[in-house]
Amino acid sequence: MKHLVLGLCCLVMLGSCGARERVSNGLDRIGNAFAGSDGGGLCGDPTLQGEVVGAVPGKLSACGIEDAVRLQSVGNVRLSQGALMDCKTARALEVWVREGAKPAVGQRGGGVSGLKVAAHYSCRTRNNQPGAPISEHGRGKAIDISAILLKDGSSITVEDGWDKRKDGKALRRMHKEACGVFGTVLGPESDRFHRDHFHFDTRRHGNGAYCR
């Protein structure tokens, strides 16, 4: 009985800390504990800054966010606009900034200072196409990034930099590192709708992360 109680306590502690574990479909499971958890900061992560929003109703039944936050920055990396999303997506973005964007840029231009957000929460169909399924943007599970802003005031844009030697190398590394942290990663080579930005969302796919 003593061993059973200890085992249950360990499970509760692991669940509350939002630890990531690699699962069979290649997507990192990132805990969705709501803002204000014991870890401090948004979603219990002290590196995430912004505000608690709470429930966001959607104009369509499939839209909305149950427990939304408005993310303003990830550590010292500022978002160009406050982005509405759920905690799982905010935490995934933190992992990508730390493990993907910052290493890809290195000390170029003094390092990464910000992200230009092209889109976040929006109750709409996928790619705004009539009759298409509801976009993950409509569920608070997606963010679009069009440029990486550097400390010296310069930037690396997805649209202009993808096919350039220096910028392209960094952008392609960022794209690759996002795959698995996010469930869906789309870039300029995916389709005509994503020529000028990265689309990241935390939707899970049965056969692993979908990255194009």
Side-chain angles (χ1 to χ4, degrees):
M1 184 65 180
K2 181 178 179 181
H3 293 298
L4 177 60
V5 172
L6 288 172
L8 289 172
C9 288
C10 289
L11 286 174
V12 170
M13 289 176 66
L14 286 172
S16 66
C17 69
R20 296 191 299 137
E21 66 178 68
R22 183 71 63 176
V23 292
S24 60
N25 71 349
L27 175 64
D28 283 336
R29 291 185 63 185
I30 303 174
N32 198 30
F34 189 46
S37 298
D38 292 340
L42 287 183
C43 309
D45 187 332
T47 67
L48 301 176
Q49 290 96 44
E51 61 180 328
V52 175
V53 175
V56 176
K59 61 184 179 181
L60 301 176
S61 60
C63 290
I65 313 173
E66 183 177 353
D67 292 322
V69 296
R70 190 183 305 276
L71 187 64
Q72 300 285 357
S73 61
V74 178
N76 63 350
V77 176
R78 186 82 177 172
L79 275 59
S80 63
Q81 59 177 299
L84 275 175
M85 62 187 72
D86 63 15
C87 278
K88 184 175 182 180
T89 306
R91 283 177 166 161
L93 187 65
E94 186 280 326
V95 173
W96 175 75
V97 166
R98 174 167 43 85
E99 298 182 359
K102 284 187 172 182
V105 170
Q107 290 305 308
R108 177 181 171 185
V112 179
S113 67
L115 302 175
K116 186 173 182 180
V117 177
H120 51 104
Y121 175 75
S122 177
C123 184
R124 60 173 174 80
T125 58
R126 196 173 298 166
N127 300 317
N128 288 300
Q129 298 302 291
I134 293 295
S135 169
E136 295 306 304
H137 285 285
R139 299 183 172 96
K141 298 181 181 296
I143 187 168
D144 291 350
I145 304 296
S146 60
I148 310 300
L149 310 178
L150 307 183
K151 292 180 181 178
D152 66 356
S154 63
S155 63
I156 302 172
T157 66
V158 176
E159 183 174 25
D160 296 331
W162 186 256
D163 291 322
K164 291 181 180 178
R165 184 175 180 179
K166 189 174 182 180
D167 289 354
K169 183 178 180 181
L171 289 166
R172 289 166 192 272
R173 180 177 174 181
M174 293 180 211
H175 182 278
K176 180 180 179 181
E177 292 299 325
C179 190
V181 175
F182 291 96
T184 307
V185 176
L186 302 175
E189 295 180 5
S190 62
D191 56 42
R192 63 187 176 90
F193 300 107
H194 299 90
R195 290 174 182 169
D196 62 353
H197 67 275
F198 290 145
H199 168 90
F200 300 148
D201 74 53
T202 51
R203 178 186 177 191
R204 296 178 63 184
H205 303 274
N207 295 321
Y210 181 86
C211 306
R212 298 292 186 272

